[in-house]
Amino acid sequence: MNEKEEPMNMNVTPPVEPVTEFEVHLPPDRKHPKWLVPLIAGGTAVVVLAAVGTGGYLYWNHNQLTAASEECATSYDKAVKAQKKLTEYLESDAVKTAVTVKDSEVKDAKTVAVLTSTVKAASTTKTDIPGCPADGLKGIRAAAAQLDKTADVYAKTVNEIRGKADAVNASKTDKTVADATKVLNDSKGRVEDDKVRTALENAIESKDEKAISDAVKAVNDSVRAKSDADAKARAEKEKQTASQSQASDNGGNPAGDTTSGYTGYTGGGYTQSQGGGYTYTPQQPTGGSTGGGYTPTPQPTPQQPSQGGNSGSGVSSPWDTGGDVSFCGVLGSDPVPC
């Protein structure tokens, strides 16, 4: 071989292995073991995962607090609205009217007493609605649960009062119907127009208090009108009967004469006076009047007897005149001249 081989250059630098980021801080003249590289990389991964886990928990916890706070706020609004609804219902005309109903206006007076007691208790009870706490997941959820319970209590109270008010109104309607039914029954045959009773009967079936009230008034007015008309008719009839009776009485006697004739004398005769002698009392006619009839002619008063005469009796006879006297009877023990 004529070609001449070139000698090997003994000064050539051997290849250098690539340096990793974990070897930058090592002195260039020091070597490190191969196993150290994965160990350092693994530790770094653990730190990264720990940081990620902490951040994830905080993010999750924040979301939970936000959701709980929103739920609590909703519960708070619900409780406030329920309280307001109760307050407004207590001030409503329906409750005020039911509370003022008298015992005499309802069929069962207990309904009024129960309603009054319930309304008074609800009106005097003041409950403050607490707000939601700012932090603390457990506290926020507990506050929300309490607010929901408060709202339910208010709603239940409203329904309870409404039910008791309805009981009062129903009892009042029952009393109205009962009274109207009695008016309907008692007015049979006593009204001018029976159509008012038909209207009352229809109103009772409808249980409309306004309609019943109007119908009852119409029936009562009709009863009153018929009663007045009947009273007036009776008065006219009595007046007519009295006139006919008077005309009948006047037709049997002459005008100005209320007697049918002379009926004789009563109560007349002679009586003895204290001083002696006799006084004549004329007899009065019976059955007559000053308007007519017989009037007896007054008789002359007998002369007083003169002293002397019959000495046997000590009393002179009033007719002892020395002449003949005719006697028609005896009055007491004395003769009566004709």
Side-chain angles (χ1 to χ4, degrees):
M1 287 184 182
N2 294 326
E3 292 183 4
K4 194 174 184 179
E5 293 182 4
E6 294 181 359
M8 184 177 295
N9 189 0
M10 301 302 293
N11 295 326
V12 176
T13 305
V16 180
E17 295 180 2
V19 180
T20 64
E21 60 179 344
F22 299 105
E23 296 175 328
V24 294
H25 300 293
L26 294 176
D29 57 346
R30 292 187 58 184
K31 301 291 183 180
H32 59 273
K34 298 282 185 185
W35 55 266
L36 183 60
V37 175
L39 179 61
I40 295 174
T44 303
V46 171
V47 173
V48 172
L49 292 175
V52 173
T54 302
Y57 171 77
L58 292 176
Y59 179 78
W60 174 84
N61 188 58
H62 173 74
N63 288 342
Q64 291 293 313
L65 289 174
T66 301
S69 296
E70 291 177 354
E71 292 177 1
C72 187
T74 301
S75 299
Y76 177 82
D77 292 340
K78 181 181 178 182
V80 170
K81 290 179 180 179
Q83 185 185 53
K84 182 179 180 181
K85 186 175 182 180
L86 174 60
T87 302
E88 291 175 348
Y89 186 67
L90 290 174
E91 296 297 327
S92 66
D93 293 339
V95 174
K96 289 182 178 179
T97 301
V99 170
T100 56
V101 171
K102 299 179 181 179
D103 293 349
S104 59
E105 296 176 338
V106 294
K107 192 172 184 179
D108 185 2
K110 292 181 181 179
T111 57
V112 178
V114 172
L115 173 63
T116 302
S117 177
T118 304
V119 170
K120 183 178 180 181
S123 301
T124 56
T125 301
K126 303 296 182 180
T127 303
D128 295 331
I129 300 178
C132 298
D135 55 7
L137 182 60
K138 185 177 180 180
I140 294 174
R141 289 177 174 174
Q146 183 61 40
L147 289 170
D148 288 337
K149 183 178 179 180
T150 301
D152 292 340
V153 170
Y154 282 129
K156 182 179 179 181
T157 303
V158 170
N159 292 332
E160 182 180 4
I161 295 176
R162 180 181 288 109
K164 292 178 180 179
D166 291 343
V168 170
N169 293 330
S171 184
K172 183 180 178 183
T173 300
D174 291 343
K175 179 69 163 55
T176 301
V177 169
D179 293 344
T181 302
K182 187 176 186 302
V183 172
L184 179 65
N185 295 334
D186 292 346
S187 63
K188 186 176 182 180
R190 297 173 57 193
V191 294
E192 285 188 322
D193 187 355
D194 207 57
K195 290 181 180 179
V196 294
R197 296 184 68 254
T198 302
L200 176 57
E201 186 176 6
N202 294 334
I204 291 174
E205 292 179 357
S206 70
K207 293 187 177 182
D208 186 332
E209 291 193 28
K210 179 68 168 54
I212 291 175
S213 178
D214 294 342
V216 166
K217 183 179 183 302
V219 170
N220 288 336
D221 290 343
S222 184
V223 169
R224 189 179 300 108
K226 187 175 187 305
S227 177
D228 293 343
D230 291 346
K232 184 177 180 180
R234 284 194 300 269
E236 291 292 337
K237 185 176 181 179
E238 291 174 357
K239 182 179 179 181
Q240 184 178 5
T241 301
S243 298
Q244 292 175 351
S245 177
Q246 184 177 2
S248 177
D249 291 342
N250 291 338
N253 295 292
D257 185 7
T258 59
T259 64
S260 60
Y262 171 72
T263 58
Y265 297 97
T266 60
Y270 290 91
T271 58
Q272 185 175 6
S273 63
Q274 293 180 350
Y278 296 85
T279 301
Y280 175 75
T281 300
Q283 294 175 334
Q284 299 297 326
T286 60
S289 66
T290 58
Y294 175 78
T295 301
T297 303
Q299 298 296 327
T301 303
Q303 298 292 328
Q304 296 291 334
S306 60
Q307 294 182 354
N310 188 0
S311 60
S313 60
V315 177
S316 300
S317 170
W319 302 281
D320 188 9
T321 58
D324 294 334
V325 178
S326 299
F327 300 99
C328 294
V330 177
L331 179 63
S333 59
D334 299 318
V336 178
C338 296

